[in-house]
Structures are given as C-alpha cells and as structure tokens.
Amino acid sequence: MKYLMWLLNAAIFFVLFAFALNNQDAVTLHLFFGARWQAPLVLVLLCALLVGVVLGVLVMLALWLRARRQRSAIATSAPLPPPS
C-alpha cells in the first residue's frame, strides 16, 4: 500500500510538471490603475492557487479557534472518571 501511494504521488508530480512545461508562454495581467504584470502562465496559476489557500485558511481560522476554545472548556468542566 505504501508503494502504491508513492506511485500515485509520483504520477501526480509528473502530470503537474508536464503541465508546467507546456504552459510557459508569457501572459499579461492587467491590474488596477493601468498596472500590468507579465509572467509565465504556470506562475500566474501558482500565485492564484496560493492566494486561494491563504484566504481559505484565514477564513477558517476563526472557526478553528472557536472550536478549540469550546473543546478546552468542555474538557476542563467535565469531571474526571475515577481510576480503575
């Protein structure tokens, strides 16, 4: 099973690597106030992915902290079972 996971990870890596090699053409992003950014397409996609991941973590952070606080409040208020 361990080898199957390594094989799957290697296949995903090679597919993504081939995608990156095939998308090296430069694209121009027209930003606000007439600013432009020219970069390879794969770099633009990677930046968009990273921005999405960071925003997702920031949105979920408040929920994670609230759930952690509730778990710790429940754990401290519950009496411990007698040792057996």
Side-chain angles (χ1 to χ4, degrees):
M1 189 65 176
K2 186 176 179 181
Y3 295 114
L4 185 61
M5 286 305 297
W6 273 101
L7 186 62
L8 180 63
N9 287 336
I12 290 171
F13 171 77
F14 285 120
V15 167
L16 291 175
F17 188 71
F19 176 78
L21 288 178
N22 287 327
N23 289 295
Q24 291 184 357
D25 293 336
V27 295
T28 302
L29 292 179
H30 299 277
L31 304 170
F32 299 112
F33 307 113
R36 293 180 184 175
W37 182 46
Q38 191 168 8
L41 177 62
V42 69
L43 182 63
V44 173
L45 290 174
L46 179 64
C47 289
L49 175 70
L50 289 177
V51 167
V53 167
V54 167
L55 287 176
V57 167
L58 287 176
V59 167
M60 289 297 298
L61 190 60
L63 296 174
W64 288 333
L65 291 175
R66 186 181 309 142
R68 184 177 177 185
R69 218 176 10 237
Q70 287 176 350
R71 277 196 313 263
S72 66
I74 290 172
T76 57
S77 66
L80 294 174
S84 43

